[in-house]
Amino acid sequence: MMLVKNIMTNDPITINPDATIMEAEKMLSINKIGRLLVEENEKIIGMLTDGDIISEKNLEAPVSEFMSDDLIIINENSTVQQAAKKLSDNHIGGLPVFNDKQELVGIVTSEDIVYGYLKDEEEEMEMEKKTITPESSAIYLSMTRSRDYEEYWLKKIEGYGYRGAITQTGASAEKLPIKLRESTTVAAIARGVISENSREKMAVSNAVKDAYSQLDLVNPGLGGGFKIAVVRGDGHVSVAIFGKFGHALVDGPEQLTVGTSVI
């Protein structure tokens, strides 16, 4: 669970209530921020945003005349969801953050929350990517049972930075190696997994050959019907072949093999 202290801006910039609008505008501009906390006698008494002073022409007017003194605060150990709700419910863009000793420790804004969610998703994706490899992606994709699930995994694979394609083929024992290679290569080109150059097509062909040789060891001389998935990762391509062997394509036991090749 992500907490406010994980995404807040530490050491927020403060300004004295007697400071002028000109001084406030300068601080906002130099620090590239949209709000200042107003501090008097080491106590936060208000907040001033760039929207509060955007149309003010008297640049010598004091900050105290424009600040909001109805402060809505949050504890650093509150969840990001709680902070987002406070911002939304009160139609504001920032919250001063205090610790359990009621000391100011930061400020959290709507921008921080958006960035925090994006960062959290990116970190989660990176963790997943360590366990979901091109090889495992190809296996999951080849074993899908419906078109919707195929599309789900194709999109998921793209999210990991991989490129994937899927196809199906069936043939007699004599034609099966060729059909597997042709179908996989065509699908890989069509989905942009590889380009139409001989080196990349050869890489796919070698990966299919690797996977097929394992099938042939288990059931030599048999044809069958198979679903083939090809996934390209960093520097290599993986192919998973899943389906059934049988004489004249009669259903037999399900088989799964995986082949890889440098690309």
Side-chain angles (χ1 to χ4, degrees), residues 112-129:
D112 293 328
I113 290 174
V114 171
Y115 175 75
Y117 275 124
L118 291 174
K119 184 179 178 183
D120 193 49
E121 287 178 0
E122 288 172 1
E123 289 175 352
E124 187 176 327
M125 186 71 76
E126 283 302 313
M127 288 297 294
E128 272 193 332
K129 193 170 179 180

Side-chain angles (χ1 to χ4, degrees), residues 35-49:
R35 54 193 52 81
L36 294 165
L37 293 179
V38 184
E39 184 179 34
E40 184 176 44
N41 298 324
E42 298 184 354
K43 182 180 179 182
I44 302 301
I45 62 170
M47 181 182 290
L48 182 78
T49 71

Side-chain angles (χ1 to χ4, degrees), residues 99-110:
N99 61 19
D100 293 334
K101 298 178 181 179
Q102 296 306 307
E103 298 168 331
L104 179 71
V105 292
I107 185 170
V108 63
T109 68
S110 52

Side-chain angles (χ1 to χ4, degrees), residues 13 64 142 151 200 244 253 258:
I13 298 170
S64 58
S142 69
E151 288 303 317
E200 296 193 354
K244 297 179 179 180
V258 180

Side-chain angles (χ1 to χ4, degrees), residues 80-81 94 134 144 161 221:
V80 171
Q81 289 87 347
T144 52

Side-chain angles (χ1 to χ4, degrees), residues 203-222:
V204 171
S205 179
N206 288 337
V208 173
K209 182 179 178 181
D210 185 14
Y212 172 75
S213 65
Q214 299 164 49
L215 288 177
D216 195 42
L217 283 173
V218 178
N219 288 290
L222 290 180

